[in-house]
């Protein structure tokens, strides 16, 4: 898999340090609140696991799975809910945990859907923020790294369900995902 990378963008150590920093900030900001971490599967699973261990206050967790990509590299714009949340949201302070925020279309849809369920608040925590690809007016409340418009994989991010298990974030060589 390493041979498919043009370069390593973020090392294991950089990811670990940033997750610890985010966990400490979230712990301070949500002290005394009813925090519910909502992981958007599958991409955020590694980030979510590490982030929840870095948070030092009580927090509930739930998972949802949505799809807007299929096996391509660009969002289709059509969001499909594959697995919805199990917990009723009323009274919770939601923190949506995402692997990457790029076009923002999927997250905009998710937030609109979750707002209708009357949580106390909704905020966004993304590991990677790719503002050059933004198509809607949305920005994260917590962001690990702002990255350029390159196709990245690893640490949960995939291309055609591959590369999620890499411990770092790498830039995929274009010949791997183009015909």
């Amino acid at each position: 898999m390493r041979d498919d990378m043009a370069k390593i963008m973020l090392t294991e150590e950089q990811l670990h340090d940033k997750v610890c920093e985010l966990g400490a900030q979230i712990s301070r900001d949500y002290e005394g609140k009813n925090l519910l971490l909502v992981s958007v599967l599958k991409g955020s699973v590694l980030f979510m696991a590490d982030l929840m261990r870095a948070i030092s206050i009580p927090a509930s967790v739930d998972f949802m799975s949505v799809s807007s990509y299929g096996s391509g590299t660009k969002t289709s714009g059509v969001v499909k809910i594959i697995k919805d949340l199990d917990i009723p949201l009323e009274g919770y302070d939601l923190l949506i945990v995402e692997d990457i925020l790029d076009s923002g279309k999927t997250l905009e849809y998710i937030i609109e859907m979750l707002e209708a369920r009357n949580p106390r608040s909704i905020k966004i925590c993304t590991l990677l923020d790719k503002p050059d690809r933004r198509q809607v007016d949305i920005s994260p409340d917590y962001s690990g790294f702002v990255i350029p418009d390159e196709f990245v994989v690893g640490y949960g991010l995939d291309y055609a369900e591959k590369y999620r298990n890499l411990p770092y974030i790498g830039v995929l060589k274009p010949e791997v995902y183009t015909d």
Side-chain angles (χ1 to χ4, degrees):
M1 288 191 293
R2 176 65 180 99
D3 291 341
D4 292 344
M5 300 302 127
K7 67 180 179 184
I8 293 176
M9 180 180 282
L10 297 166
T11 66
E12 267 185 272
E13 294 74 25
Q14 288 173 301
L15 292 167
H16 176 268
D17 291 348
K18 184 57 75 172
V19 170
C20 289
E21 180 184 313
L22 288 168
Q25 183 64 52
I26 290 164
S27 297
R28 287 189 298 273
D29 293 351
Y30 283 87
E31 180 69 42
K33 296 187 177 181
N34 195 13
L35 177 59
L36 173 60
L37 300 169
V38 175
S39 175
V40 182
L41 299 172
K42 299 175 189 171
S44 70
V45 71
L46 294 178
F47 177 43
M48 174 71 153
D50 289 344
L51 182 65
M52 57 195 263
R53 287 185 298 221
I55 292 173
S56 60
I57 60 168
S60 299
V61 297
D62 204 348
F63 301 88
M64 67 185 312
S65 181
V66 300
S67 176
S68 65
Y69 284 85
S71 63
T73 61
K74 291 189 171 38
T75 182
S76 66
V78 176
V79 179
K80 177 178 158 188
I81 304 295
I82 297 165
K83 185 231 177 275
D84 205 344
L85 297 175
D86 296 323
I87 298 174
L89 303 183
E90 223 166 295
Y92 279 104
D93 294 290
L94 265 59
L95 183 59
I96 299 172
V97 179
E98 268 281 29
D99 53 352
I100 188 166
L101 176 55
D102 51 22
S103 77
K105 287 180 170 183
T106 301
L107 204 48
E108 181 182 57
Y109 178 86
I110 291 171
I111 289 170
E112 190 174 295
M113 181 184 77
L114 297 179
E115 280 176 340
R117 300 179 190 181
N118 300 315
R120 187 177 299 139
S121 66
I122 299 178
K123 291 191 176 182
I124 301 164
C125 178
T126 188
L127 178 63
L128 305 176
D129 185 11
K130 201 187 276 192
D132 292 345
R133 300 218 352 129
R134 202 81 80 245
Q135 296 177 16
V136 297
D137 185 22
I138 194 169
S139 45
D141 300 281
Y142 302 93
S143 175
F145 302 92
V146 175
I147 64 167
D149 188 11
E150 296 181 287
F151 194 76
V152 291
V153 295
Y155 197 66
L157 293 115
D158 76 303
Y159 169 66
E161 294 299 325
K162 295 181 180 121
Y163 308 103
R164 288 189 197 278
N165 57 319
L166 294 172
Y168 55 82
I169 293 181
V171 176
L172 200 58
K173 289 178 181 174
E175 58 267 23
V176 174
Y177 60 89
T178 55
D179 296 323

